[in-house]
């Protein structure tokens, strides 16, 4: 019901409903990190220039999201969590300020197991040019690791940042 400047009141409006829906939608721009052949005792880091590139996450939804991370074991001799397999979050070039660094994991931290995911990224934004971040991997090849190809599945889970 509205009133004009002369205090004339109009009729009551018919009731209506407004729904505001949230969309939590994260995706990986770079979904594969391939270190290639590695040496026993070697250290490999996606934060260094050149391949391999880190994971790059994009928030395609319409709300800020928090993201947890966990992973299957990479090494046979060093199960998660371990200093032999670590991660950290940092800004994607051109997307600086996309997440809250004060409560995100921005220093290398042992990769958690699927049984114990940890909160890694806080308030990843959804606005254009503020909706991406990178997740770096650091591996230290255990000196007792037997030869052979290794792989690990990393799981990112998004939830509404409140």
């Amino acid at each position: 019901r509205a009133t004009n400047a002369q205090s004339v009141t109009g009729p009551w409006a018919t009731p209506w409903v407004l729904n505001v829906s949230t969309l939590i939608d994260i995706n990986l721009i770079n979904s594969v990190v391939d270190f290639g052949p590695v040496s026993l005792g070697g250290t490999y880091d996606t934060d260094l220039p050149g391949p391999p590139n880190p994971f790059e996450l994009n928030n395609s939804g319409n709300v800020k999201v928090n993201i947890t991370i966990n992973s299957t074991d990479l090494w046979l001799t060093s199960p998660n969590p371990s200093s032999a397999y670590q991660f950290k979050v940092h800004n994607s070039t051109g997307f600086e300020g996309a997440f809250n660094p004060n409560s995100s994991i921005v220093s290398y931290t042992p990769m958690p197991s699927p049984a114990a995911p940890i909160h890694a990224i806080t308030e990843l934004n959804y606005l254009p040019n503020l909706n991406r971040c990178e997740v770096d991997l650091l591996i230290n090849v255990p000196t007792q690791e037997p030869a052979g190809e290794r792989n690990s599945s990393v799981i990112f889970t998004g939830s509404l940042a409140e």
Side-chain angles (χ1 to χ4, degrees):
R1 188 168 181 172
T3 303
N4 66 16
Q6 289 79 32
S7 298
V8 176
T9 304
W12 286 100
T14 56
W16 54 282
V17 176
L18 172 66
N19 289 320
V20 178
S21 299
T22 60
L23 175 63
I24 298 171
D25 184 20
I26 59 173
N27 56 47
L28 287 164
I29 306 243
N30 181 36
S31 62
V32 175
V33 176
D34 185 354
F35 286 96
V38 296
S39 300
L40 292 177
T43 298
Y44 304 86
D45 187 348
T46 62
D47 195 24
L48 300 175
N53 294 317
F55 290 116
E56 187 168 18
L57 283 129
N58 183 66
N59 180 356
S60 301
N62 63 5
V63 292
K64 289 182 179 180
V65 294
N66 293 329
I67 300 171
T68 62
I69 189 171
N70 69 79
S71 175
T72 59
D73 293 336
L74 177 61
W75 308 113
L76 300 176
T77 60
S78 187
N80 295 351
S82 143
S83 62
Y85 185 27
Q86 300 181 61
F87 80 96
K88 72 174 176 143
V89 180
H90 78 264
N91 288 309
S92 292
T93 303
F95 293 84
E96 289 77 10
F99 63 93
N100 181 342
N102 297 323
S103 53
S104 298
I105 297 177
V106 295
S107 297
Y108 277 119
T109 300
M111 184 67 80
S113 70
I118 59 175
H119 179 108
I121 305 166
T122 301
E123 298 175 344
L124 180 59
N125 211 319
Y126 60 94
L127 298 173
N129 299 320
L130 279 176
N131 61 340
R132 288 187 190 169
C133 68
E134 293 181 351
V135 177
D136 283 305
L137 297 180
L138 172 70
I139 62 170
N140 297 299
V141 183
T143 56
Q144 300 303 313
E145 188 72 14
E149 186 174 302
R150 301 289 180 269
N151 60 58
S152 172
S153 295
V154 179
I155 297 150
F156 299 97
T157 305
S159 62
L160 179 63
E162 295 185 287

